Amino acid sequence: MILTPRIAGAERIAVSLLSALKDDYAGSLGLFLLGGSSESLPAWPGRVVGLWSVLFGRYDVIHSHLFLPGVFVRFRRLGDKRFRWVHSVHYHDYRAMRLGGFKRWVDHRWICPAPDRLVAVSEKVDKSLGPISGKTLIPNGLDLTPARRRESAQVRPVIGSVAMLRSEKGIDDLILAAEELKQSLPDMLVRVAGDGPLMSELRTLVMDRDLGGTVELLGYVQNLDEFYKALDVYVLGSRDEGFGLAALEAFRFGLPIVAADTGFLPELLGEG
């Protein structure tokens, strides 16, 4: 199973899948980039390998997720057709990504036609890929057993979001919105669970807007259940969202959800 060391929805799905298959397969978890660490991964007691093993190790099946792992496995496929390759696509709109046009061309013209099985995680993603041989639609999923929110006498309203800190997730917009909301809800607290390449930039934005007591950037959070239990409202402000797994997680805790009208979110959430 191939994924990046920055943990978000796709990565947690990969680890859950690998864990479910451990009794039937001798699985290895491959981490990117070269400096990847397994410290922030959800519990995975099995073998963790690096780039060299991903490119040259002996595997019967390789399952890659997202852009960069797809690039590396595609290079391996050029000279090695002995393994079965499954690649999962989690996004459909590249406009919010850095070098988005280039990534879309590489994805749709070079990576996606090559695997033995291509998995789209939502109808939106499936339609964006077009007619590719070996493609199948398997919507993202998780255990939706209702979970109880924490009984609390807290007076301070708490707004929360879970996201990898990349530009397409719109956390900067949430921070700017907090600046406006603070005028009418001075006791409001905004909490963001997640890490990513924009962490430093977003921390600077919080400080520049004098929101240090209003916005908390928590970094990677291992126990998300406790995070969700402490919220009053969940916000999903992505500029694009191939599925919206975090919204389903918020549903489990009976949270009202405010989401951007983009990507697969309208189909996932409905109206009202």
Side-chain angles (χ1 to χ4, degrees):
M1 191 76 69
I2 314 302
L3 58 143
T4 65
R6 299 283 192 182
I7 302 306
E11 288 77 11
R12 286 188 287 126
I13 287 173
V15 173
S16 296
L17 178 58
L18 194 57
S19 299
L21 295 173
K22 62 182 175 57
D23 294 333
D24 300 305
Y25 292 88
S28 298
L29 188 64
L31 290 182
F32 295 131
L33 288 171
L34 295 176
S37 167
S38 61
E39 293 179 359
S40 62
L41 284 171
W44 164 243
R47 182 169 175 250
V48 176
V49 300
L51 180 59
W52 183 265
S53 180
V54 168
L55 291 175
F56 302 106
R58 176 69 178 91
Y59 302 104
D60 297 305
V61 178
I62 295 179
H63 187 173
S64 55
H65 295 254
L66 305 172
F67 179 77
L68 188 60
V71 169
F72 281 107
V73 182
R74 181 67 176 91
F75 273 116
R76 173 170 177 159
R77 175 47 62 94
L78 292 175
D80 183 2
K81 295 181 171 58
R82 293 172 297 175
F83 65 95
R84 300 285 289 177
W85 179 18
V86 179
H87 180 64
S88 288
V89 184
H90 294 260
Y91 38 72
H92 71 95
D93 192 331
Y94 296 74
R95 288 173 294 182
M97 296 181 182
R98 185 180 181 186
L99 301 177
F102 171 74
K103 287 182 177 179
R104 186 184 190 283
W105 187 92
V106 172
D107 249 348
H108 286 218
R109 297 296 183 91
W110 191 60
I111 296 176
C112 292
D116 299 290
R117 181 65 67 184
L118 186 70
V119 178
V121 304
S122 73
E123 293 179 5
K124 206 86 169 182
V125 174
D126 181 61
K127 291 178 181 177
S128 75
L129 291 171
I132 296 179
S133 177
K135 182 185 66 171
T136 188
L137 169 61
I138 305 178
N140 274 338
L142 76 164
D143 181 6
L144 285 178
T145 304
R148 292 182 61 85
R149 292 174 60 189
R150 176 168 28 194
E151 298 293 337
S152 173
Q154 65 183 17
V155 177
R156 191 176 191 185
V158 182
I159 298 170
S161 190
V162 178
M164 183 182 285
L165 303 185
R166 299 186 305 225
S167 60
E168 64 267 25
K169 295 301 181 179
I171 300 301
D172 53 336
D173 288 338
L174 178 57
I175 293 171
L176 296 176
E179 185 179 26
E180 297 292 327
L181 286 171
K182 187 179 178 181
Q183 299 176 25
S184 56
L185 292 171
D187 293 332
M188 173 198 66
L189 177 64
V190 174
R191 309 187 81 212
V192 178
D195 200 351
L198 293 185
M199 174 62 87
S200 178
E201 181 179 322
L202 293 173
R203 281 176 174 164
T204 299
L205 180 61
V206 170
M207 293 298 102
D208 288 347
R209 299 286 177 164
D210 194 25
L211 295 170
T214 302
V215 178
E216 295 181 353
L217 300 176
L218 302 177
Y220 178 75
V221 173
Q222 182 75 38
N223 191 340
L224 278 178
D225 280 8
E226 292 302 314
F227 176 82
Y228 284 114
K229 286 178 182 179
L231 302 182
D232 296 297
V233 177
Y234 186 81
V235 174
L236 192 59
S238 301
R239 296 184 174 98
D240 178 62
E241 196 66 65
F243 185 80
L245 189 67
L248 286 187
E249 292 179 328
F251 269 138
R252 293 184 59 222
F253 295 89
L255 288 168
I257 299 172
V258 178
D261 184 12
T262 187
F264 190 62
L265 294 179
E267 289 89 341
L268 179 68
L269 299 176
E271 190 61 51

